[in-house]
């Protein structure tokens, strides 16, 4: 019975989720600097800002051994925890439900549904994220020559938490998570780019002021993913950020029950 997994199916699931691989990836990203006060405001109290107030906007597409094929976009914030550097995932968008559920339930990634596309015309590359008819990220880049293969280790910080049923707070303490991605990049190209951030009340990317923009980075890559629990967090401190990871509920009212005198 599919709604109650057998011991064999549980073992297969554990094998799949403990050996996560994302392959055939294409990623177009741009780093930019914003105000230090903005970084401090959007980072959890348990994370320190990185060496500079750097954010990264990324549009990508992937294959996998666990959630099928998908396209994704994200915004990352440079951060560190007890001296270990990484990127805090501010917001993330998937084009289907399984990669959304995987990242949100296992790693604590702040995922929503959104449409991500990458187009290439010779050396020109375009990456776009759109959601509910609004363009949230657009990257236009002119890429240089391939700089060859390399291996890097990336780290992301995320938070797992439960919202109280009446929206009054969190149930228990949030958990800070650290994911690691051992990447083997086969193609790396960089070049000048333009980055445009749009926004809505649900996805206020336009509030992230771009003070200095770096060149775009395009990679073709694959990676093995793992994740670990870092520790408990302060629920009251994180609650405003937890609400900010979802759509703005009051703006979603489409009807109300009639009132009776």
């Amino acid at each position: 019975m599919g709604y109650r997994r057998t011991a064999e199916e549980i073992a297969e699931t554990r094998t799949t989720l403990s050996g996560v691989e994302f392959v055939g990836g294409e990623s177009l990203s741009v780093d930019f600097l914003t105000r230090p006060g903005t970084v401090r405001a959007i980072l959890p109290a348990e994370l320190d800002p990185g060496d500079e107030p750097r954010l990264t906007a990324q549009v990508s597409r992937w294959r996998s051994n666990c959630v099928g094929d998908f396209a994704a976009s994200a915004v990352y914030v440079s951060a560190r925890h007890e001296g270990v550097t990484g990127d805090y995932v501010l917001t993330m968008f998937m084009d289907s439900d399984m990669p959304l559920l995987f990242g949100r339930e296992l790693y604590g990634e702040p995922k929503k549904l959104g449409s991500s596309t990458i187009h290439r015309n010779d050396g020109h590359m375009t990456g776009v994220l759109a959601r509910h008819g609004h363009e949230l990220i657009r990257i236009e880049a002119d890429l240089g020559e391939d700089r060859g293969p390399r291996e890097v280790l990336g780290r992301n910080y995320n938070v797992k938490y439960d919202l109280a049923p009446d929206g009054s707070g969190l149930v228990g303490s949030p958990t800070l998570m650290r994911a690691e991605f051992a990447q083997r990049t086969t193609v790396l190209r960089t070049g000048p780019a333009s980055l445009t951030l749009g926004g809505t009340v649900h996805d206020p990317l336009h509030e992230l002021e771009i003070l200095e923009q770096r060149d775009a980075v395009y990679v073709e890559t694959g990676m093995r993913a793992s994740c670990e629990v870092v520790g408990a967090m302060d629920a009251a401190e994180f609650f405003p950020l937890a609400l900010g990871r979802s759509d703005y509920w009051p703006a979603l009212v489409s009807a109300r029950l009639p009132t009776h005198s």
Side-chain angles (χ1 to χ4, degrees), residues 207-228:
E207 296 181 1
L208 303 173
E209 188 177 4
I210 302 173
L211 299 182
E212 178 185 329
Q213 182 190 297
R214 308 278 169 80
D215 282 353
V217 178
Y218 168 75
V219 296
E220 296 176 13
T221 187
M223 58 189 180
R224 296 180 183 271
S226 61
C227 192
E228 64 178 346

Side-chain angles (χ1 to χ4, degrees), residues 87-98:
D87 288 314
Y88 173 69
V89 186
L90 180 65
T91 188
M92 186 173 275
F93 304 86
M94 301 287 120
D95 66 350
S96 59
D97 58 352
M98 281 314 301

Side-chain angles (χ1 to χ4, degrees), residues 132-147:
H132 299 322
H134 297 276
E135 191 172 283
L136 301 177
I137 297 175
R138 174 174 286 271
I139 302 171
E140 299 283 352
D142 293 304
L143 302 173
E145 295 297 319
D146 179 18
R147 298 187 179 187

Side-chain angles (χ1 to χ4, degrees), residues 1 16 44 55 58 76 81 94 130-131 134 138 149 162 168 208 239 242 244 248 251 260:
M1 181 178 179
T16 298
L55 281 76
Q58 179 194 61
Y76 304 93
H81 177 74
M94 301 287 120
R131 185 169 189 254
H134 297 276
R138 174 174 286 271
D162 291 314
S168 60
L208 303 173
F239 180 54
Y248 184 54
H260 298 282

Side-chain angles (χ1 to χ4, degrees), residues 35 48 54 75 78 154 168 215 232 258:
R35 298 188 184 279
D48 297 317
R54 174 186 56 79
V75 175
S78 178
S168 60
D215 282 353

Side-chain angles (χ1 to χ4, degrees), residues 89-122:
V89 186
L90 180 65
T91 188
M92 186 173 275
F93 304 86
M94 301 287 120
D95 66 350
S96 59
D97 58 352
M98 281 314 301
L100 184 152
L101 292 171
F102 171 92
R104 192 166 63 188
E105 296 190 9
L106 274 70
Y107 290 9
E109 294 170 330
K111 290 185 171 180
K112 302 179 179 183
L113 287 174
S115 175
S116 301
T117 55
I118 290 181
H119 299 288
R120 179 168 52 198
N121 183 7
D122 293 327

